[in-house]
Amino acid sequence: MSSAATSEPSIVFERYKGLNYGGNGNISIGLDQEHASKFRNSREDPAAEIMYSLIVKKECYTSKAAIESMEKEVKALKHIRESTISNQEYCDKFSQLIDSESYLIDGNEAYIYLHHIAGISLRDYRDSHTHQSGTGSPSRLKEPNEMLKPMSISAVRVPMIFHIFSEVLLAMTFMHEKMKMAHGDIKADNIIIRETKPLELGLPEVALIDFGSAVLEKDDVAEYKRKVALDRLDFFRVMVDLVRDHRSCGEMRCRNEAHVRPDECLKHRAHCDNWYNLGCDRAMADHVGLWGWDSFCEDIEKGVKLDVSMIGPWFEVCKQNWLKFATEVGEGVDGSAATIGRELTNIIESDDYKGKNISIAEVSHGIENCGRLGMS
């Protein structure tokens, strides 16, 4: 195996918590023994330093498919590490190996050590908004003539949608054009919204993870080009979900004068593209105006419907306009950035997501427990 390590990594791992890794294997969070000993013997409470020193051990089952996927991921992660050494501004936009030899793949076991990313997947982030106040359908009316009542569903804030868009776009563009690598599995589960650090200004950073389907251009040109197109198509699908949430929340109105009542609009919902959310449009008016939000929505919707062979040319034409919208929105979000940061922290610390993250209390307990077992 071309990417297999010939000997075990020098890292001595202390496991503090196991997380779900789908059907391919297991994920554990902990510390390397060197850092654990340092924190264990410290007289101070280095909570923040501990949380940003955590590492992840990603183990896969020994099936042929799982091993092949991990081999691809190791190759991609080593390429990311090499490519971002001279482009430090992109380091945090991808999952990263602890070092160039922090993995093992042989016939009996396969695992990699990664820097832990404190945060939440975009899928969970979106779900926390769309399900936090109920999930009733806007078309659920008791009687045909009953007026539409205010919706209880919320959605990811518009400035955050543009921010997520621009962050993923920058990472994807660097990956495709500079690293000459395609991800192969862009989806909400593989986009991580990083938790905002204390006193950190601005909106949360975003990172791409899980490179088990990645391909480098130098290894297979045809497959690389195919997956670049699929990356872009899958990216549109992720964005359109965030956009459509704003068509299903809050107080809706329709620009079609023939739809004088909300229920008339909803009866023809599949054929009506004119209904919109007042709150979202008002929020956008101070940034790029209604035309900016509408244009962005239309382009995203169109991108999902395009044939894969048409994605590339159309993508390049629209990219600069989208980035312009995102920049203009970003210039006016100083007040909402702090709100979004607090909101993200509250989501991560909520009971719903305890099984997907690790708390400082769990880390402290792990450090203490491993110390009692003589693992230092």
Side-chain angles (χ1 to χ4, degrees):
M1 299 180 184
S2 58
S3 60
T6 56
S7 60
E8 287 198 35
S10 59
I11 295 171
V12 179
F13 180 69
E14 289 190 6
R15 178 185 183 276
Y16 302 148
K17 186 173 184 177
L19 301 179
N20 180 41
Y21 176 30
N24 289 326
N26 302 295
I27 285 182
S28 303
I29 301 179
L31 286 169
D32 66 273
Q33 204 171 76
E34 182 180 348
H35 278 89
S37 297
K38 172 187 172 183
F39 296 134
R40 193 175 290 123
N41 297 325
S42 174
R43 295 183 179 181
E44 300 177 358
D45 181 21
E49 188 180 353
I50 288 175
M51 295 306 286
Y52 294 107
S53 300
L54 292 172
I55 63 177
V56 170
K57 184 177 184 180
K58 185 175 181 180
E59 302 172 88
C60 80
Y61 300 132
T62 53
S63 67
K64 182 179 179 181
I67 293 291
E68 288 177 352
S69 177
M70 182 156 281
E71 285 189 314
K72 286 183 180 179
E73 181 155 27
V74 166
K75 190 166 191 174
L77 289 169
K78 291 178 75 172
H79 187 60
I80 290 170
R81 181 179 171 81
E82 293 166 1
S83 301
T84 54
I85 287 175
S86 57
N87 296 275
Q88 289 292 312
E89 67 272 25
Y90 289 97
C91 280
D92 289 341
K93 298 189 184 299
F94 307 96
S95 51
Q96 294 276 357
L97 286 169
I98 298 298
D99 58 48
S100 60
E101 302 300 326
S102 56
Y103 64 93
L104 174 69
I105 300 177
D106 63 24
N108 300 314
E109 57 183 336
Y111 59 83
I112 50 180
Y113 288 117
L114 303 164
H115 288 285
H116 175 250
I117 300 177
I120 190 171
S121 75
L122 178 55
R123 179 179 298 279
D124 288 333
Y125 184 69
R126 176 185 174 233
D127 286 349
S128 72
H129 288 77
T130 57
H131 299 310
Q132 64 183 4
S133 302
T135 56
S137 167
S139 59
R140 186 183 61 193
L141 302 175
K142 293 181 179 179
E143 299 295 337
N145 294 326
E146 182 182 357
M147 293 298 286
L148 181 69
K149 297 179 179 179
M151 287 297 300
S152 59
I153 301 175
S154 66
V156 175
R157 297 169 188 268
V158 171
M160 190 61 178
I161 291 179
F162 274 95
H163 177 68
I164 291 168
F165 162 80
S166 59
E167 284 281 293
V168 177
L169 178 62
L170 287 172
M172 207 166 67
T173 300
F174 178 77
M175 180 175 63
H176 291 164
E177 297 180 3
K178 300 298 182 181
M179 288 197 284
K180 297 298 181 181
M181 183 177 79
H183 185 284
D185 194 19
I186 298 289
K187 58 184 180 182
D189 296 286
N190 292 336
I191 298 171
I192 300 296
I193 311 296
R194 289 181 178 269
E195 185 174 10
T196 307
K197 297 178 182 179
L199 304 179
E200 189 174 55
L201 300 176
L203 294 169
E205 294 182 340
V206 178
L208 294 178
I209 65 167
D210 199 349
F211 290 84
S213 300
V215 60
L216 275 63
E217 182 186 42
K218 64 182 181 180
D219 293 334
D220 190 330
V221 175
E223 183 67 358
Y224 162 76
K225 289 182 178 179
R226 186 183 75 85
K227 287 197 172 182
V228 165
L230 288 176
D231 281 353
R232 290 168 171 173
L233 184 61
D234 289 340
F235 175 50
F236 299 143
R237 287 173 175 153
V238 169
M239 294 308 302
V240 83
D241 283 340
L242 299 179
V243 166
R244 283 175 176 166
D245 288 340
H246 280 270
R247 301 284 181 91
S248 311
C249 72
E251 183 183 0
M252 291 193 297
R253 290 291 184 270
C254 183
R255 296 189 179 93
N256 189 330
E257 293 180 0
H259 297 161
V260 295
R261 298 195 310 270
D263 59 302
E264 289 181 333
C265 180
L266 290 171
K267 282 181 184 178
H268 303 87
R269 183 172 175 180
H271 308 289
C272 178
D273 295 324
N274 295 309
W275 55 287
Y276 66 106
N277 180 285
L278 280 179
C280 297
D281 284 346
R282 286 171 182 162
M284 289 302 297
D286 294 335
H287 301 301
V288 297
L290 300 184
W291 63 270
W293 178 239
D294 288 345
S295 177
F296 180 77
C297 293
E298 290 168 7
D299 280 349
I300 290 293
E301 292 273 9
K302 181 180 178 182
V304 174
K305 297 173 184 177
L306 286 176
D307 182 84
V308 171
S309 63
M310 296 296 295
I311 289 291
W314 176 81
F315 180 84
E316 295 303 325
V317 169
C318 294
K319 184 168 66 176
Q320 295 307 316
N321 283 336
W322 292 341
L323 286 174
K324 180 176 181 290
F325 298 156
T327 300
E328 292 180 5
V329 170
E331 291 173 351
V333 300
D334 290 345
S336 61
T339 301
I340 289 171
R342 288 193 299 271
E343 180 182 78
L344 177 61
T345 299
N346 290 337
I347 293 169
I348 292 172
E349 293 178 352
S350 69
D351 290 341
D352 291 340
Y353 299 99
K354 281 185 177 178
K356 298 183 178 182
N357 286 286
I358 189 167
S359 66
I360 184 62
E362 289 172 315
V363 175
S364 298
H365 175 74
I367 291 173
E368 182 181 346
N369 188 50
C370 288
R372 288 199 303 268
L373 295 174
M375 296 180 65
S376 63

